[in-house]
Amino acid sequence: MKTKLKILHLEDSPADAELEERELKKGNIQFEKLVVGTKTALEKALKDFAPDIIISDHTLPSVNSTEAVKIINQQGIKIPFILVSATVSDDYAVEIMKAGADDYILKDRLHRLPQAVLKAMEKYRAELNLQAIFDSTSEGFILVDTNGIVKTFNTITAQNILLNTEQELKIGSSVYD
């Protein structure tokens, strides 16, 4: 990886943070890292640090990984999120992935962390490229799920909806509204 990644690390154990940092270095990942351990510090870091990726423990004193994903989504931040936990059930792993996490790694398999980071960043950059193409087309597109809930849309569509209905199109809203 040629550029230095900005990693926001949600972790309350200095020893675990050091182990994860060591694995990233072994994987030849160039990075700048900020470790935070509270909900307040997470919210501040999202604004001030502007991370490229988030690596998160599951349970911290004032926030857990599910809440962290919700905070990120509520702020409209779209960056990779990797859960690193000592134990996580298969059901919870599916739940966190549905909520927006890109991967999860058990702490006894930390050797997977560098590859997970690289894979998540590659996917994220590909999505950014597709979004740029999607936004630059002269045709309007809206992606909705089977319930008619807006998943994404391009700039032309947003402008036309606003012009014709005086309503702002939002992700998560119903097309029937």
Side-chain angles (χ1 to χ4, degrees), residues 26-78:
K26 278 186 200 175
N28 294 320
I29 295 177
Q30 300 291 317
F31 63 93
E32 170 186 355
K33 186 173 84 163
L34 175 63
V35 180
V36 297
T38 66
K39 180 179 178 179
T40 305
L42 165 64
E43 292 170 335
K44 182 173 177 3
L46 288 171
K47 292 176 188 162
D48 299 343
F49 185 64
D52 297 313
I53 189 168
I54 296 172
I55 297 173
S56 177
D57 187 13
H58 172 55
T59 305
L60 299 150
S62 65
V63 67
N64 66 35
S65 57
T66 304
E67 293 170 65
V69 169
K70 284 180 186 174
I71 291 167
I72 294 159
N73 290 338
Q74 287 170 347
Q75 292 189 15
I77 298 170
K78 295 184 182 196

Side-chain angles (χ1 to χ4, degrees), residues 17-163:
E18 188 177 320
L19 284 172
E20 291 169 38
E21 183 172 327
R22 191 175 312 143
E23 286 298 327
L24 292 169
K25 286 179 180 176
K26 278 186 200 175
N28 294 320
I29 295 177
Q30 300 291 317
F31 63 93
E32 170 186 355
K33 186 173 84 163
L34 175 63
V35 180
V36 297
T38 66
K39 180 179 178 179
T40 305
L42 165 64
E43 292 170 335
K44 182 173 177 3
L46 288 171
K47 292 176 188 162
D48 299 343
F49 185 64
D52 297 313
I53 189 168
I54 296 172
I55 297 173
S56 177
D57 187 13
H58 172 55
T59 305
L60 299 150
S62 65
V63 67
N64 66 35
S65 57
T66 304
E67 293 170 65
V69 169
K70 284 180 186 174
I71 291 167
I72 294 159
N73 290 338
Q74 287 170 347
Q75 292 189 15
I77 298 170
K78 295 184 182 196
I79 57 173
F81 185 98
I82 298 175
L83 172 65
V84 178
S85 181
T87 58
V88 64
S89 71
D90 290 340
D91 290 339
Y92 182 76
V94 169
E95 224 177 279
I96 193 78
M97 298 289 281
K98 282 183 180 178
D102 292 274
D103 204 346
Y104 72 95
I105 296 171
L106 296 175
K107 287 188 179 181
D108 66 350
R109 296 188 178 112
L110 278 180
H111 64 277
R112 286 191 56 237
L113 185 58
Q115 189 60 35
V117 167
L118 293 173
K119 182 180 168 188
M121 290 307 300
E122 183 178 316
K123 178 184 171 208
Y124 173 70
R125 289 181 179 127
E127 287 173 356
L128 285 179
N129 288 338
L130 286 174
Q131 189 66 45
I133 293 166
F134 187 62
D135 282 338
S136 65
T137 184
S138 60
E139 300 295 322
F141 292 98
I142 301 175
L143 177 64
V144 296
D145 67 13
T146 56
N147 297 317
I149 302 300
V150 175
K151 293 297 182 185
T152 192
F153 52 87
N154 64 356
T155 307
I156 287 289
T157 300
Q159 291 169 349
N160 287 336
I161 295 284
L162 186 61
L163 182 66

